[in-house]
Amino acid sequence: GQNIDQPTEMTATEGAIVQINCTYQTSGFNGLFWYQQHAGEAPTFLSYNVLDGLEEKGRFSSFLSRSKGYSYLLLKELQMKDSASYLCAVRPYGQNFVFGPGTRLSVLP
Amino acid sequence: DSGVTQTPKHLITATGQRVTLRCSPRSGDLSVYWYQQSLDQGLQFLIQYYNGEERAKGNILERFSAQQFPDLHSELNLSSLELGDSALYFCASTLTGTGANVLTFGAGSRLTVL
């Protein structure tokens, strides 16, 4: 089966850098996704990795290592508005999206 | 605005009742997914439709049913409601039914069962 693990909660300071890790167990997948979800709101797409390596998108970057079953989301120059849950998700071949439990990030002044 | 429209935004009802949640996918998307998210819980996949046909089923209760219509909008019917059904219900859409398409979520329908 598929399983995705993420830390439950993280805290960081405004202006800092934070790395949110995601580990997964699946035999093969089309891509790995990161979503941001503010409390009570819909998840919004942040990034997508299909190949190993780093994808950079402004203050957010995402990294994938298929051989290690590992991804991380890197948030730079943290802002208060980055306080949210961050969801890691994969879509295994021939199957539906599998979401991780999410990491709740609190950004403190 | 993500392009995925859900109605109603909020719904309060009593136990034992039945409600219908509606979703219009993003223009051009053929596949619709329904997710349930209880307070402080993860996203639970309920069901997926592609071009009017059921494509995949997740943890959907027998009291719940859904369909996708020829115009591609979808409805999720929840019946014999229980207190534990109180949750945010999200609809999401993708262009195709498989592969690595990005899921685009609607704003959700918040159901409160009293």
Side-chain angles (χ1 to χ4, degrees):
Chain A
Q2 296 83 40
N3 196 37
I4 297 181
D5 292 313
Q6 301 180 237
T8 305
E9 292 191 19
M10 296 182 74
T11 303
T13 306
E14 199 173 10
I17 299 173
V18 71
Q19 177 175 313
I20 301 175
N21 296 327
C22 167
T23 57
Y24 58 86
Q25 295 84 40
T26 182
S27 54
F29 57 91
N30 293 292
L32 188 139
F33 303 81
W34 283 95
Y35 284 81
Q36 180 191 60
Q37 186 180 24
H38 286 98
E41 298 182 12
T44 56
F45 170 73
L46 285 178
S47 70
Y48 166 61
N49 293 72
V50 62
L51 301 174
D52 283 5
L54 192 67
E55 292 283 340
E56 296 190 72
K57 229 179 180 183
R59 293 189 300 114
F60 294 1
S61 304
S62 57
F63 172 83
L64 175 65
S65 168
R66 284 179 180 263
S67 60
K68 292 191 169 80
Y70 167 70
S71 172
Y72 67 73
L73 181 70
L74 196 69
L75 292 77
K76 302 176 200 168
E77 300 168 21
L78 279 173
Q79 302 175 11
M80 300 296 288
K81 67 178 182 179
D82 298 330
S83 292
S85 287
Y86 291 86
L87 312 176
C88 171
V90 297
R91 189 163 200 178
Y93 294 132
Q95 297 183 48
N96 229 306
F97 293 90
V98 178
F99 279 87
T103 298
R104 186 179 302 176
L105 174 66
S106 299
V107 179
L108 305 178
Chain B
D1 183 0
S2 68
V4 179
T5 305
Q6 288 188 249
T7 57
K9 284 190 171 30
H10 301 276
L11 193 54
I12 301 174
T13 189
T15 54
Q17 294 298 305
R18 173 191 168 94
V19 298
T20 298
L21 310 180
R22 193 177 191 280
C23 169
S24 293
R26 202 176 53 153
S27 178
D29 284 357
L30 299 176
S31 196
V32 167
Y33 307 71
W34 286 98
Y35 288 87
Q36 179 194 54
Q37 189 174 43
S38 302
L39 190 64
D40 292 333
Q41 299 294 310
L43 286 168
Q44 297 295 320
F45 169 66
L46 295 178
I47 198 163
Q48 177 201 359
Y49 284 84
Y50 174 73
N51 208 18
E53 300 290 327
E54 182 183 304
R55 175 61 66 90
K57 235 175 182 176
N59 300 322
I60 187 165
L61 300 170
E62 284 195 14
R63 300 184 285 108
F64 296 1
S65 64
Q67 55 183 323
Q68 185 181 29
F69 294 87
D71 67 352
L72 300 178
H73 92 271
S74 177
E75 292 181 358
L76 178 67
N77 301 297
L78 316 174
S79 61
S80 303
L81 284 168
E82 301 175 0
L83 296 178
D85 298 328
S86 295
L88 263 170
Y89 291 84
F90 288 109
C91 169
S93 70
T94 59
L95 177 62
T96 68
T98 58
N101 299 155
V102 173
L103 271 173
T104 301
F105 285 84
S109 293
R110 181 178 294 279
L111 173 66
T112 302
V113 182
L114 300 175

